[in-house]
Amino acid sequence: MLLSLNIAEKTMGTKLLFQGLSLTITEGERVALIGRNGVGKTTLFNMVAGLDTDYLGAIESKKSVRIIVTAQEHHVAADLTAVEYVLQSAHRYHELKEIIDTYPDT
């Protein structure tokens, strides 16, 4: 198990976003989250990242899992690829990238 969500209920004001939501992601799985605007995709990601804790239920992840949240729009980073933009938010990314980039080829 990489990530497990068991959300009894999540509301936004008077709007019920999630009720009885249960999801487990295991190693090797690929997951896509698709939905119309306003149905709670960003809210769900914020809950998983720990930025939104106002819900009934539990979210657990494997200790080694790192969750990174970036802005939905990143106009100031137009010269970066999507992967570069996401990785710049990763814990110790710049330090580790420097080590990889300067590691001697042997």
Side-chain angles (χ1 to χ4, degrees):
M1 179 275 300
L2 293 177
L3 182 68
S4 175
L5 290 86
N6 288 296
I7 307 300
E9 186 174 286
K10 169 62 180 170
T11 58
M12 200 63 112
T14 60
K15 183 177 182 177
L16 177 64
L17 291 179
F18 308 116
Q19 186 173 41
L21 173 64
S22 179
L23 171 69
T24 300
I25 301 172
T26 59
E27 198 163 329
E29 284 186 304
R30 293 177 185 220
V31 178
L33 185 59
I34 301 169
R36 290 185 164 157
N37 291 343
V39 297
K41 298 179 303 292
T42 300
T43 299
L44 183 61
F45 281 116
N46 286 335
M47 292 164 59
V48 169
L51 302 174
D52 183 342
T53 58
D54 186 26
Y55 58 88
L56 299 174
I59 298 174
E60 299 175 13
S61 64
K62 187 175 178 180
K63 191 172 188 166
S64 61
V65 169
R66 298 283 182 250
I67 298 171
I68 300 168
V69 175
T70 63
Q72 290 186 32
E73 297 185 22
H74 52 275
H75 303 290
V76 296
D79 58 328
L80 298 176
T81 67
V83 171
E84 289 170 335
Y85 177 73
V86 170
L87 287 178
Q88 76 178 0
S89 299
H91 177 69
R92 297 182 58 211
Y93 168 72
H94 294 290
E95 176 187 343
L96 297 173
K97 184 174 184 334
E98 177 69 21
I99 292 169
I100 291 168
D101 290 346
T102 59
Y103 194 81
D105 292 327
T106 56

